[in-house]
């Protein structure tokens, strides 16, 4: 290993990669995309991870967990409310997702956002030794790159945004837009999920700061800032292997038997979020039933939803709406032993999710806007026998790569209905051909390639 590839990485993200396990209170690795993606990088170099443990309170000291140096950042109850539920999830999240819900702009959320970013930056500075790479993640920490640079101009600093970066006209709504952009311009490499995100950022930077340059290279404050797209991915091999295991096959067969083996299974898996287009897809399925194009004897829909951001009012309202919709469809179309929609609102283990992916004939992924959408890639990775059809929204970052999915516009209800019908009746040969291409794409561009490519760009 040469000196450059042995450089240590300090990851700075809102959440730590560990959580306290139930009654024992011991720290355990959390299962999540970013953790899986970065754990090998972090562990290999005995590097560090700066983040919040997920509950309000103070006083956690740095510790080591499975070769990772963990540096917890504490947040008070008030900060969780204003920095996290408020500014991150009620200002930035909706604004960056095409303002699907109206973003709220409140000075009393902005100040704690600045303050918390400063705390994360200070923890990163304390963790970083000379020559380390610092990699800041996501919309909670847009100001941190510049704050870190002000203290430590010697470091290479990277930033990666997991959600979309909105078009300039929308970004312009943000009263603190200049500070946000200058915060990001503190990085050496600013990465996005798609080229459109990179372009939107560069344009906003040229419009609202003194930055000059092109969509991929900006000059700001006498420094060069590289801007690019780095589409995130999954650990393809893990999903592929897990899917092929006898145990998984049996579990999947068990699910199908319980639901009626002859019925086609349509599956959706999401965080319960208003960006995911859950109601749009339920209505498309309902409409197919209503028009008599399918019956509950032919098809069954399963929505797996992980609870999310429940203290935020928009999320509670959306949950009620979706649960009413599920109730309405079942009330109207269900038959004894034939539920039209199975709805599970809880966490599943990764292994169980793979069994559900294996069981599904059609995967229905219809976000109104999504940075990438890993669920679509996970489904593809589990289709080891090339069966199964992926329906994917054009508004997910993943649609840039997964061109052979059935692409839909979730706001086009007729298009959604006919695409769902096409998926349910697709010729086996065509489905196999499409899936083979999709699998090649995801296998080639897996999460290890993503992390490797980003870090190579960051090393400069
Ligand atoms: P998310 O909005 O959370 O991520 P997504 O990319 O689909 O969206 O990732 C969700 C993850 O949660 C998947 O790995 C999935 O397996 C898991 N999951 C979903 N439901 C679950 C359940 N009930 N139980 C257990 N696990 C469940 C954000 C952005 C995305 C971007 C990712 C990564 O919004 O656009 O793809 O970050 O950058």
């Amino acid at each position: 290993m040469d000196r450059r590839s042995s450089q240590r990485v300090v990851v700075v993200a809102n959440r730590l990669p560990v959580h306290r396990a139930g009654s024992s209170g011991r720290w355990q690795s959390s299962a999540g995309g970013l953790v899986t993606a970065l754990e090998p990088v972090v562990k290999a170099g005995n590097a560090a991870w700066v983040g919040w443990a997920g509950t309000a309170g103070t006083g956690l000291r740095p510790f080591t967990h499975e070769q990772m140096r963990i540096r917890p950042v504490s947040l008070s109850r008030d900060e969780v409310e204003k920095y996290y539920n408020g500014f991150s999830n009620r200002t930035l999240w909706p604004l960056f997702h095409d303002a699907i819900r109206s973003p709220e702009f409140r000075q009393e959320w902005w100040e704690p956002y600045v303050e918390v970013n400063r705390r994360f930056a200070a923890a990163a500075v304390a963790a970083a030794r000379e020559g380390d790479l610092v990699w800041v993640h996501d919309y909670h920490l847009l100001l941190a790159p510049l704050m870190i640079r002000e203290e430590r101009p010697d470091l290479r600093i990277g930033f990666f945004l997991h959600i979309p970066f909105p078009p300039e006209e929308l970004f312009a709504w943000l009263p603190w837009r200049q500070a946000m952009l200058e915060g990001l311009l503190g990085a050496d490499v600013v990465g996005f999920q798609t080229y459109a995100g990179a372009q939107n950022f560069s344009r906003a930077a040229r419009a609202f700061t003194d930055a000059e340059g092109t969509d991929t290279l900006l000059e700001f404050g006498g420094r060069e800032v590289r801007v690019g797209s780095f589409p995130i991915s999954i650990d393809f091999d893990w999903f592929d292997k897990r899917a092929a295991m006898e145990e998984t096959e049996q579990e999947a067969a068990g699910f199908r038997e319980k639901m009626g083996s002859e019925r086609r299974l349509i599956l959706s898996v999401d965080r319960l979020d208003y960006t995911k287009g859950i109601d749009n897809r339920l209505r498309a399925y309902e409409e197919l039933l209503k028009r008599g194009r399918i019956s509950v004897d032919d098809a069954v829909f399963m929505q797996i939803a992980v609870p999310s951001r429940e203290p935020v009012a928009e999320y509670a309202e959306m949950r009620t709406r979706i649960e009413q919709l599920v109730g309405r469809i079942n009330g109207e179309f269900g038959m004894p032993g034939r539920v039209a929609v199975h709805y599970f609102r809880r966490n599943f283990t990764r292994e169980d999710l793979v069994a559900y992916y294996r069981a599904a004939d059609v995967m229905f992924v219809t976000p109104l806007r999504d940075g990438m959408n890993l669920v679509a890639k996970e489904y593809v990775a589990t289709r080891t026998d090339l069966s199964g059809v992926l329906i994917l929204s054009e508004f997910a970052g993943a649609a840039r790569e997964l061109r052979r999915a059935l692409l839909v516009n979730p706001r086009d209800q007729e298009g959604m209905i006919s695409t769902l019908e096409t998926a349910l009746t697709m010729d086996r040969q065509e489905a196999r051909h499409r899936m083979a291409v999709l699998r090649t794409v995801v296998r080639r561009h897996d999460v290890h390639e993503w992390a490797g490519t980003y870090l190579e760009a960051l090393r400069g």
Side-chain angles (χ1 to χ4, degrees):
M1 206 186 272
D2 68 25
R3 192 190 64 80
R4 283 154 59 86
S5 63
S6 66
Q7 264 171 325
R8 284 167 311 195
V9 180
V10 178
V11 175
V12 189
N14 178 56
R15 291 299 291 270
L16 284 173
V18 291
H19 64 276
R20 284 205 203 266
S23 53
S24 74
R26 286 223 187 93
W27 292 100
Q28 246 183 19
S29 296
S30 305
L34 186 61
V35 181
T36 321
L38 296 178
E39 220 174 33
V41 181
V42 174
K43 279 184 186 168
N46 183 28
W49 193 305
V50 172
W52 172 46
T55 47
T58 50
L60 283 175
R61 304 171 80 80
F63 61 96
T64 302
H65 175 82
E66 297 177 1
Q67 297 149 297
M68 267 187 285
R69 290 187 292 134
I70 304 284
R71 285 199 165 251
V73 173
S74 301
L75 298 181
S76 69
R77 209 174 285 278
D78 192 51
E79 284 166 340
V80 174
E81 199 39 47
K82 293 173 175 164
Y83 145 84
Y84 184 68
N85 291 328
F87 201 83
S88 297
N89 289 330
R90 298 183 77 174
T91 308
L92 295 176
W93 178 269
L95 181 68
F96 281 35
H97 287 88
D98 292 349
I100 295 168
R101 291 287 183 283
S102 283
E104 287 178 58
F105 303 105
R106 295 206 206 165
Q107 187 68 22
E108 76 261 26
W109 292 348
W110 165 248
E111 283 155 13
Y113 184 83
V114 177
E115 183 53 39
V116 170
N117 267 254
R118 208 173 287 293
R119 197 172 307 147
F120 273 83
V125 164
R129 305 175 196 168
E130 200 187 323
D132 284 358
L133 300 172
V134 177
W135 192 0
V136 183
H137 289 263
D138 228 1
Y139 62 103
H140 317 88
L141 299 171
L142 298 176
L143 302 172
L146 179 64
M147 291 169 170
I148 298 168
R149 177 162 306 282
E150 282 168 350
E151 297 294 314
R152 292 287 298 276
D154 62 300
L155 296 170
R156 294 283 296 172
I157 303 165
F159 178 87
F160 182 77
L161 186 68
H162 291 258
I163 66 174
F165 193 94
E168 183 193 323
E169 312 84 81
L170 211 51
F171 184 76
W173 292 6
L174 198 63
W176 310 277
R177 63 196 183 195
Q178 188 180 346
M180 286 293 184
L181 292 164
E182 289 180 355
L184 288 174
L185 289 164
D188 295 292
V189 177
V190 187
F192 299 89
Q193 301 276 25
T194 62
Y195 186 67
Q199 250 180 342
N200 289 343
F201 167 73
S202 297
R203 289 180 185 172
R206 290 195 299 263
F208 303 121
T209 75
D210 293 335
E212 287 179 353
T214 65
D215 288 345
T216 53
L217 192 64
L218 293 170
E219 217 184 284
F220 181 73
R223 298 170 29 249
E224 279 190 346
V225 180
R226 203 187 136 184
V227 182
S229 77
F230 301 86
I232 200 168
S233 194
I234 57 161
D235 187 347
F236 181 93
D237 287 343
W238 186 88
F239 282 94
D240 179 69
K241 286 207 180 78
R242 179 74 210 179
M245 282 167 68
E246 183 57 31
E247 194 185 332
T248 309
E249 289 290 345
Q250 276 177 10
E251 209 181 336
F255 294 149
R256 295 207 50 127
E257 204 173 309
K258 282 187 194 143
M259 282 179 294
S261 305
E262 70 293 354
R263 299 165 88 197
R264 315 276 289 157
L265 172 61
I266 307 161
L267 175 68
S268 293
V269 175
D270 314 78
R271 255 186 331 97
L272 202 41
D273 194 293
Y274 55 75
T275 60
K276 301 290 183 185
I278 299 174
D279 43 355
N280 302 51
R281 73 178 79 117
L282 280 168
R283 281 198 299 270
Y285 171 65
E286 179 184 33
E287 200 51 39
L288 271 186
L289 288 169
K290 218 178 249 174
R291 294 181 190 179
R293 308 291 303 178
I294 54 169
S295 80
V296 285
D297 289 327
D298 312 323
V300 53
F301 188 108
M302 180 183 286
Q303 173 68 58
I304 295 181
V306 58
S308 179
R309 303 178 194 167
E310 302 208 319
V312 176
E314 288 82 358
Y315 285 75
E317 281 159 27
M318 182 207 48
R319 175 181 161 196
T320 307
R321 216 184 41 251
I322 285 168
E323 292 179 355
Q324 281 171 350
L325 194 49
V326 170
R328 185 175 86 196
I329 300 172
N330 281 332
E332 199 155 330
F333 299 100
M335 303 280 275
R338 286 279 188 263
V339 173
V341 182
H342 286 274
Y343 168 72
F344 302 132
R345 191 186 135 275
R346 51 183 183 257
N347 257 296
F348 285 87
T349 63
R350 204 150 265 270
E351 289 74 12
D352 280 343
L353 274 188
V354 173
Y356 282 109
Y357 289 144
R358 281 297 299 154
D361 299 295
V362 174
M363 189 77 204
F364 205 8
V365 185
T366 59
L368 301 169
R369 177 60 76 191
D370 212 334
M372 177 54 59
N373 196 291
L374 296 178
V375 166
K377 293 187 173 180
E378 290 169 2
Y379 179 68
V380 165
T382 63
R383 308 310 297 181
T384 51
D385 63 359
L386 307 186
S387 67
V389 180
L390 173 65
I391 302 178
L392 178 61
S393 163
E394 294 166 1
F395 301 94
R400 304 288 113 217
E401 297 166 89
L402 305 181
R403 308 300 300 170
R404 298 311 298 270
L406 291 180
L407 297 179
V408 284
N409 169 3
R411 292 176 175 87
D412 169 10
Q413 216 210 352
E414 286 306 314
M416 289 273 281
I417 294 165
S418 62
T419 307
L420 180 56
E421 193 172 13
T422 304
L424 286 167
T425 53
M426 187 179 280
D427 166 80
R428 190 185 284 252
Q429 256 327 94
E430 184 183 348
R432 285 177 67 82
H433 178 67
R434 285 173 178 270
M435 190 52 75
V437 176
L438 294 173
R439 284 176 60 79
T440 305
V441 173
V442 184
R443 178 184 278 125
R444 200 170 287 160
H445 302 290
D446 70 357
V447 74
H448 305 296
E449 195 231 26
W450 169 77
T453 309
Y454 186 91
L455 289 172
E456 202 176 301
L458 183 54
R459 284 185 192 109

